[in-house]
Amino acid sequence: MKALLLKEKEDMSIQETEKPVIQPEEVLIEVKYCGICGTDVHIFHGEPGSAEVTPPIVLGHEFSGEVVEIGASVSGLKLGDHVAVDPNIYCGKCTYCRQGRVQLCEDLSAVGVTRNGGMEQFCAVPETACHLLDKELPLEVGALAEPLSCVLHGFHQISEIQARTKVLIIGGGFIGSLFLQTVQLKNPAKVDVCEIDVNKHAQLSELGADHLFQSTDDVAAEYDLVIECIGKKQTIEAGIHKTGKGGEVLLFGVPSPETLVEFPAFDVFSKELKMAGSFINPFTVEEAVSLLNQQKVQVTPLISHTLRLEEVPAVLGNYGDYGITKAIVKL
């Protein structure tokens, strides 16, 4: 079978490999679509993923496919099922797992990060990682259940959005667009989006943005909730600055490990600001699949690039040059 193997930093190529042999608790998935995530870009360039990455490894933690083989202990899936995959596998034994905060697991493993993932024709995954998709749902949509589930986990880190809540989303790319749609499901007072690329503004307006800004410098109002989806020093600092009294900031964008931010500590004190981070997707994939199955969140309009496996190394190497909102690989 074909597999796109990351052999070392910035060294990735297609290899012919043996089809995986599944364990009793696993299923073999014929991968149909695999999303490219910012985490894949970080890993390609030698930066951390959600867990420690040790090449050689097949990347791809956002994917969907068809069950083609079933382990002896598997009882909840059958041949031909369409599934989306939750890539994160928790140890269940550490302090954080025992507290129910599995996303902080001290021995986290992940499909496409610590074990081979979806950028291969066939992938072995635990039955517990699979979530059934409606057969009518396009598999390219199902592949994006994982990023949507991460967005949904973000809501667990903040107060409940109410009818009076004013929201600002900084970054109107793929993740910002998912936040825009899921925030609107909660019927807040307004949702504004700051996105530097004006070519994305029309689509963001169609998805429900009330007001659009090209720069945080243009944003005058103070918001009850600011969701930062970029992970850059200047946008994080701007997000804190644009949060009003008693407000909250959700830092969702993935920064470089070297990123340091500066902000007036007095603002946090005097405004009683709350800041929260959000890491991966504990217990939210089922909800994400349900929203996609019910077509309450639209991801198809956000897919800007559909790639062949052979094209992925060049894209990961020069990701910023492609104008990508969301790229998926068709296996």
Side-chain angles (χ1 to χ4, degrees):
M1 71 168 191
K2 281 185 178 182
L4 185 58
L5 190 68
L6 179 68
K7 292 179 282 188
E8 56 184 63
K9 176 183 174 180
E10 297 176 353
D11 183 2
M12 174 184 272
S13 62
I14 292 180
Q15 307 285 319
E16 285 291 335
T17 64
E18 295 294 324
K19 187 184 295 186
V21 176
I22 61 173
Q23 299 300 309
E25 72 281 0
E26 295 180 334
V27 299
L28 189 67
I29 295 174
E30 183 176 2
V31 181
K32 300 299 185 181
Y33 289 91
C34 181
I36 292 180
C37 172
T39 298
D40 297 315
V41 179
H42 288 300
I43 294 172
F44 179 83
H45 290 291
E47 298 172 4
S50 57
E52 189 67 30
V53 181
T54 305
I57 192 77
V58 176
L59 301 185
H61 59 276
E62 305 174 355
F63 64 98
S64 65
E66 182 177 338
V67 176
V68 295
E69 191 176 330
I70 294 176
S73 300
V74 173
S75 59
L77 294 170
K78 63 182 185 300
L79 295 177
D81 279 344
H82 289 184
V83 294
V85 173
D86 178 358
N88 298 302
I89 303 168
Y90 312 106
C91 76
K93 301 175 183 178
C94 71
T95 298
Y96 298 107
C97 283
R98 292 164 70 90
Q99 292 173 347
R101 297 189 291 170
V102 294
Q103 71 274 21
L104 304 178
C105 175
E106 294 180 324
D107 192 22
L108 176 71
S109 62
V111 180
V113 180
T114 64
R115 54 184 282 173
N116 286 345
M119 293 188 191
E120 59 184 358
Q121 289 179 291
F122 296 92
C123 185
V125 300
E127 175 189 16
T128 52
C130 297
H131 294 261
L132 278 172
L133 300 169
D134 287 350
K135 282 290 184 72
E136 297 77 20
L137 188 75
L139 281 165
E140 61 266 37
V141 173
L144 302 180
E146 192 275 345
L148 177 57
S149 71
C150 292
V151 165
L152 295 174
H153 175 59
F155 289 107
H156 295 176
Q157 312 310 307
I158 58 177
S159 302
E160 184 176 353
I161 293 173
Q162 301 177 358
R164 60 170 177 77
T165 307
K166 296 178 292 184
V167 183
L168 174 67
I169 298 170
I170 300 178
F174 179 65
I175 291 296
S177 296
L178 292 183
F179 265 113
L180 172 58
Q181 294 181 71
T182 47
V183 167
Q184 290 288 27
L185 292 175
K186 301 176 184 295
N187 298 310
K190 70 173 180 177
V191 187
D192 297 344
V193 180
C194 184
E195 168 54 47
I196 192 170
D197 185 355
V198 293
N199 294 318
K200 296 179 180 178
H201 283 199
Q203 183 175 75
L204 290 165
S205 180
E206 290 175 5
L207 292 174
D210 291 301
H211 296 93
L212 291 153
F213 305 97
Q214 189 176 9
S215 168
T216 53
D217 294 337
D218 303 328
V219 181
E222 292 188 328
Y223 292 82
D224 304 301
L225 171 64
V226 175
I227 303 172
E228 198 281 337
C229 299
I230 298 175
K232 300 293 186 183
K233 169 182 167 64
Q234 58 269 35
T235 52
I236 294 171
E237 292 174 353
I240 295 169
H241 179 65
K242 301 301 178 182
T243 307
K245 291 183 177 181
E248 297 180 73
V249 185
L250 177 63
L251 302 180
F252 193 90
V254 181
S256 164
E258 290 77 35
T259 298
L260 299 176
V261 299
E262 298 177 277
F263 55 88
F266 185 78
D267 283 359
V268 179
F269 162 74
S270 61
K271 293 182 181 180
E272 287 197 350
L273 299 186
K274 295 180 182 178
M275 287 182 281
S278 181
F279 183 63
I280 63 176
N281 62 339
F283 313 121
T284 51
V285 178
E286 185 175 356
E287 182 183 359
V289 168
S290 178
L291 289 173
L292 294 175
N293 280 337
Q294 296 177 68
Q295 301 182 47
K296 289 187 175 180
V297 174
Q298 302 300 315
V299 298
T300 302
L302 307 177
I303 299 172
S304 59
H305 294 68
T306 301
L307 307 173
R308 293 176 287 110
L309 206 57
E310 293 82 355
E311 297 175 289
V312 173
V315 170
L316 292 180
N318 302 279
Y319 192 77
D321 297 340
Y322 285 83
I324 291 170
T325 299
K326 187 63 179 180
I328 60 170
V329 183
K330 183 177 182 180
L331 276 292

